[in-house]
Amino acid sequence: MFHAQVLTLFPDFFTSALSCSIPARAIKSNLVEVEYLQIRDFSTDKHHTVDDAPYGGGPGMLMKPEPVVAAIRQARTRQPDTHVVMLSPAGVPFAQAKALEYANMSSITLLCGRYEGFDERISQYVDEQLSLGDYVLSGGEPAALCVLDAVIRLLPGVLGSADSAVLDSFTEEGILDWPHYTRPEVFEGEAVPDVLLSGNHEKINVWRKQQAIERSRLRSSLIKKASSF
Ligand code: SAM
């Protein structure tokens, strides 16, 4: 069974999302176990403080090293092989290849920040820093949830058809998925491409491949164009 641990101040954040659809089925079938460690429980002072003001001044508060590092140590004791990931805008970008890498591990631990982020010294206690993208979230929880969802659907036995994950965008050849259509055949004047109704599977496969390549090219050229401004 794959083990995921989440170090967070807001374990309730995950309850609803992971009790729906694919992750819920995976948890129920014992293909994955998700455990939460409340970082506040590792604070030893009377008020269970987890944050403090930054040295050098400036707005906001930072997550203090003592409770966070104690939570990381506890996570490593519970799952000695766990790979500890700090969610941070400064981390390496999350992508499908990274989800696959995690899905091939036995355990991951996701460390969620809040406030203005972590005391920098905490980064020495994690294995990796991971970013969901070049934007700032209010906390690491939405990022951790995306990672959990992407990893869980890659675990063996989670998806009904073995092909579903292989055919997803970014997976087999690192490119986007092709466009999909279902009934009705014509929707508000827009018809399903003829080739999909042809019954000729060779032609359909060629068309799908071309579409996937074209979409991926279009997106990468859009990215290049956008970055030239
Ligand atoms: N002051 C930080 C900065 O400007 O980089 C932002 C801190 S953010 C408000 C609080 C926490 O949310 C972070 O410690 C991190 O755990 C999480 N977070 C925010 N944006 C993220 C992103 N793009 N990827 C991963 N985690 C993110």
Side-chain angles (χ1 to χ4, degrees), residues 98-115:
K98 190 57 85 181
L100 201 55
E101 193 183 313
Y102 293 165
N104 284 318
M105 295 176 173
S106 57
S107 167
I108 57 167
T109 295
L110 302 170
L111 171 61
C112 305
R114 280 276 157 176
Y115 315 112

Side-chain angles (χ1 to χ4, degrees), residues 87-199:
L87 280 318
S88 161
V92 297
F94 187 52
Q96 189 69 7
K98 190 57 85 181
L100 201 55
E101 193 183 313
Y102 293 165
N104 284 318
M105 295 176 173
S106 57
S107 167
I108 57 167
T109 295
L110 302 170
L111 171 61
C112 305
R114 280 276 157 176
Y115 315 112
E116 285 305 315
F118 297 100
D119 179 295
E120 187 60 27
R121 291 165 291 186
I122 296 170
S123 62
Q124 294 165 29
Y125 295 83
V126 304
D127 299 310
E128 185 172 26
Q129 296 188 46
L130 188 74
S131 168
L132 251 278
D134 291 344
Y135 43 80
V136 179
L137 299 163
S138 308
E141 288 79 7
L145 187 57
C146 290
V147 174
L148 282 173
D149 187 279
V151 171
I152 288 174
R153 69 198 306 284
L154 291 174
L155 297 174
V158 168
L159 292 186
S161 149
D163 278 346
S164 327
V166 173
L167 295 179
D168 276 345
S169 289
F170 314 115
T171 302
E172 206 178 29
E173 284 150 336
I175 61 174
L176 293 173
D177 195 4
W178 54 73
H180 300 272
Y181 296 86
T182 184
R183 276 190 281 267
E185 207 175 302
V186 179
F187 174 69
E188 299 199 346
E190 195 71 28
V192 172
D194 286 339
V195 62
L196 296 178
L197 310 173
S198 68

Side-chain angles (χ1 to χ4, degrees), residues 3-7 75 79 82-86 107-111:
H3 291 271
Q5 302 180 108
V6 185
L7 314 187
Q79 295 291 331
T82 202
H83 182 74
V84 180
V85 179
M86 171 193 272
S107 167
I108 57 167
T109 295
L110 302 170
L111 171 61

